[in-house]
């Protein structure tokens, strides 16, 4: 039996519930459309994923990604001919092969999509336990599916009059956090009745996040008979020019490494920052991970561990690039034991840390 107690819309108008989540305005005319019960939306966002690893799926995905001016800011008249005629002719084959090597064939989806679904379910469970109120938790991707627009549409139709948008990037960068927020705001522009909106700030130095990173390192080391001599914190790279133009990403990454080292209680040379995924001829943030691990091996380091603090979920850059390409670089240079420490993914401590961040950002919207 439905609760007969009047609910309210975001404007404070009384609503009588005809069915779960939907009702009639108390003073509306008979032909007024049903009004959803007001609720809060928490929309987490990650980078994105191709729908499959075949040529055309990869080409669509790469075209959307590499056409983003936040990612590649060269003038379109120079960049687009190169992208469309050369890069998107060849790269879908190599990228598709890389995705195929890590693909979740059982569910026919990328590992990033699988993990993000698991994170969303775990966050929804924790939020329901810790925060009072009707809160809808979902996820979107900046590139590929499910799109940001589609999820904003779903939340608004479900009655979300307030949406907390949470890009799952611990560190701010124009090419990650900013472009995700850009897409969220574009989606809001298409709404007839825009919900109130908040975006979550970077959490690269949040104590619970740092502790989760440190615990993942301790857990990995405890399982090994011979401990690694050096821990490399490998962050996704960006052109050095972006740093000089004011992007704070590099500084935030360095702080995470320092806080991680302090949490572990290790000496400074035992935890080192590097940057991966270099693209094009422009100089990027250094040192480059693929070169640095080889240098360490040539300097006599035989046992090495790599962690990827900038990634909230394992993806092509960690499962293929770090655990295959960067591992190979270390071993070819004489390294003997390479350990990749997985991303925090849906680990309980990670979910608890993310829930802490969400709870703080919902202040004033929840009781």
């Amino acid at each position: 039996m439905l609760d007969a107690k009047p609910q309210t819309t975001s404007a404070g108008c009384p609503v009588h519930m005809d069915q779960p989540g939907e009702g009639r305005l108390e003073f509306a005319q008979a032909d007024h459309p049903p009004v959803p019960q007001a609720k809060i939306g928490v929309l987490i966002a990650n980078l994105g994923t191709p729908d499959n690893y075949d040529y055309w799926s990869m080409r669509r995905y790469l075209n959307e990604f590499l056409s983003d001016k936040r990612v590649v800011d060269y003038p379109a008249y120079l960049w687009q001919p190169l992208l469309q005629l050369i890069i998107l002719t060849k790269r879908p084959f190599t990228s598709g092969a890389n995705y195929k090597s890590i693909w979740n064939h059982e569910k026919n989806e990328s590992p990033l999509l699988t993990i993000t679904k698991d994170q969303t379910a775990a966050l929804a469970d924790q939020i329901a336990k810790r925060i009072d109120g009707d809160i809808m938790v979902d996820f979107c991707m900046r590139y590929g599916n499910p799109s940001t627009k589609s999820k904003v549409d779903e939340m608004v139709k479900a009655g979300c009059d307030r949406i907390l948008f949470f890009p799952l990037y611990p560190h701010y960068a124009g090419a990650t956090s900013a472009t995700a927020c850009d897409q969220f705001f574009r989606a809001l522009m298409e709404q007839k009745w825009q919900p109130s909106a908040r975006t979550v700030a970077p959490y690269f130095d949040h104590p619970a996040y740092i502790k989760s990173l440190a615990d993942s390192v301790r857990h990995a080391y405890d399982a090994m008979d011979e401990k690694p001599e050096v821990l490399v914190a490998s962050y996704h790279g960006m052109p050095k020019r972006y740093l000089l133009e004011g992007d704070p990403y590099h500084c935030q990454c360095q702080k995470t490494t320092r806080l991680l080292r302090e949490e572990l209680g290790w000496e400074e040379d035992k935890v080192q920052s590097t940057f991966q995924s270099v693209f094009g001829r422009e100089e990027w943030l250094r040192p480059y991970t693929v070169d640095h691990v080889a240098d360490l091996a040539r300097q006599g380091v035989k046992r090495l561990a790599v962690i990827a603090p900038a990634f909230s979920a394992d993806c092509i850059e960690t499962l293929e690039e770090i655990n295959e390409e960067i591992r190979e670089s270390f071993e070819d240079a004489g390294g003997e034991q390479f350990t990749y420490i997985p991303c925090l993914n849906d680990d309980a401590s990670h979910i608890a840390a993310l829930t802490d961040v969400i709870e703080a950002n919902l202040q004033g919207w929840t009781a």
Side-chain angles (χ1 to χ4, degrees):
M1 184 173 179
L2 296 172
D3 187 355
K5 185 176 72 173
Q7 305 292 326
T8 61
T9 67
S10 59
C13 300
V15 177
H16 291 281
M17 307 309 292
D18 291 332
Q19 56 184 348
E22 192 175 273
R24 296 170 288 105
L25 290 173
E26 185 173 8
F27 304 109
Q29 296 180 354
D31 60 350
H32 194 287
V35 178
Q37 181 180 339
K39 64 184 68 172
I40 296 171
V42 174
L43 183 58
I44 67 173
N46 217 316
L47 180 72
T49 173
D51 295 325
N52 212 312
Y53 51 79
D54 62 276
Y55 177 85
W56 290 109
S57 295
M58 290 305 310
R59 184 176 177 114
R60 284 192 300 272
Y61 173 72
L62 291 171
N63 182 51
E64 184 182 10
F65 175 47
L66 296 175
S67 292
D68 186 345
K69 294 288 287 185
R70 289 278 196 181
V71 175
V72 182
D73 63 354
Y74 300 144
Y77 74 91
L78 293 176
W79 175 242
Q80 282 299 320
L82 176 63
L83 176 64
Q84 301 299 329
L85 299 177
I86 298 177
I87 296 174
L88 292 182
T89 300
K90 299 178 179 180
R91 189 162 177 177
F93 290 111
T94 56
S95 295
N98 292 338
Y99 267 97
K100 184 178 181 180
S101 71
I102 65 163
W103 200 253
N104 184 341
H105 293 279
E106 181 181 351
K107 295 186 176 181
N108 192 29
E109 61 189 24
S110 71
L112 177 64
L113 183 56
T114 302
I115 294 167
T116 306
K117 288 178 178 178
D118 293 341
Q119 289 174 324
T120 303
L123 281 171
D125 180 66
Q126 284 300 304
I127 289 171
K129 291 177 180 177
R130 289 170 51 174
I131 306 174
D132 292 333
D134 191 356
I135 301 176
M136 178 180 179
V137 183
D138 210 338
F139 76 95
C140 64
M141 298 293 181
R142 170 59 183 91
Y143 314 103
N145 296 304
S147 69
T148 305
K149 181 184 181 304
S150 69
K151 290 302 179 178
V152 169
D153 286 346
E154 288 181 18
M155 284 192 162
V156 171
K157 290 175 182 176
C160 294
D161 58 3
R162 292 149 291 170
I163 298 179
L164 178 67
F165 185 69
F166 190 179
L168 284 187
Y169 305 110
H171 312 79
Y172 175 92
T176 55
S177 310
T179 190
C181 290
D182 287 347
Q183 197 75 347
F184 174 58
F185 297 139
R186 289 189 194 101
L188 292 179
M189 288 171 63
E190 299 186 22
Q191 297 302 320
K192 185 70 68 177
W193 186 354
Q194 286 184 334
S196 298
R198 293 176 179 174
T199 59
V200 176
Y203 56 97
F204 64 95
D205 57 354
H206 193 287
Y209 162 69
I210 297 298
K211 186 177 186 304
S212 292
L213 284 177
D215 287 346
S216 72
V217 173
R218 294 188 186 103
H219 179 75
Y221 277 44
D222 287 345
M224 290 184 272
D225 294 329
E226 293 186 287
K227 313 304 182 197
E229 300 160 73
V230 176
L231 173 66
V232 168
S234 181
Y235 298 89
H236 198 288
M238 68 163 54
K240 182 179 179 181
R241 171 171 53 86
Y242 291 10
L243 166 64
L244 301 179
E245 292 172 349
D247 194 300
Y249 177 74
H250 178 267
C251 300
Q252 293 181 1
C253 292
Q254 297 290 3
K255 185 173 183 181
T256 292
T257 297
R258 176 176 64 80
L259 292 174
L260 172 60
R261 175 177 57 78
E262 291 173 354
E263 178 71 21
L264 290 168
W266 293 358
E267 297 176 1
E268 188 169 350
D269 63 343
K270 297 300 182 183
V271 186
Q272 303 177 13
S273 295
T274 62
F275 299 88
Q276 64 181 84
S277 308
V278 177
F279 176 76
R281 298 181 180 180
E282 188 173 1
E283 182 179 2
W284 283 41
L285 298 177
R286 291 180 181 271
Y288 299 154
T289 306
V290 68
D291 296 332
H292 189 69
V293 299
D295 289 341
L296 288 173
R298 285 189 284 266
Q299 293 165 14
V301 173
K302 298 299 182 183
R303 301 182 305 279
L304 180 72
V306 177
I307 192 171
F311 298 92
S312 62
D314 277 307
C315 55
I316 190 74
E317 286 86 359
T318 63
L319 299 175
E320 193 279 329
E321 185 177 1
I322 292 180
N323 208 26
E324 295 181 19
E325 295 178 29
I326 292 171
R327 173 193 292 272
E328 184 178 341
S329 178
F330 177 69
E331 293 175 347
D332 286 350
E336 297 177 359
Q337 178 182 302
F338 182 96
T339 301
Y340 168 61
I341 299 174
C343 293
L344 297 176
N345 296 324
D346 63 340
D347 181 84
S349 66
H350 187 213
I351 297 302
L354 295 178
T355 307
D356 287 347
V357 173
I358 291 170
E359 189 170 18
N361 278 270
L362 289 177
Q363 292 296 314
W365 280 1
T366 56

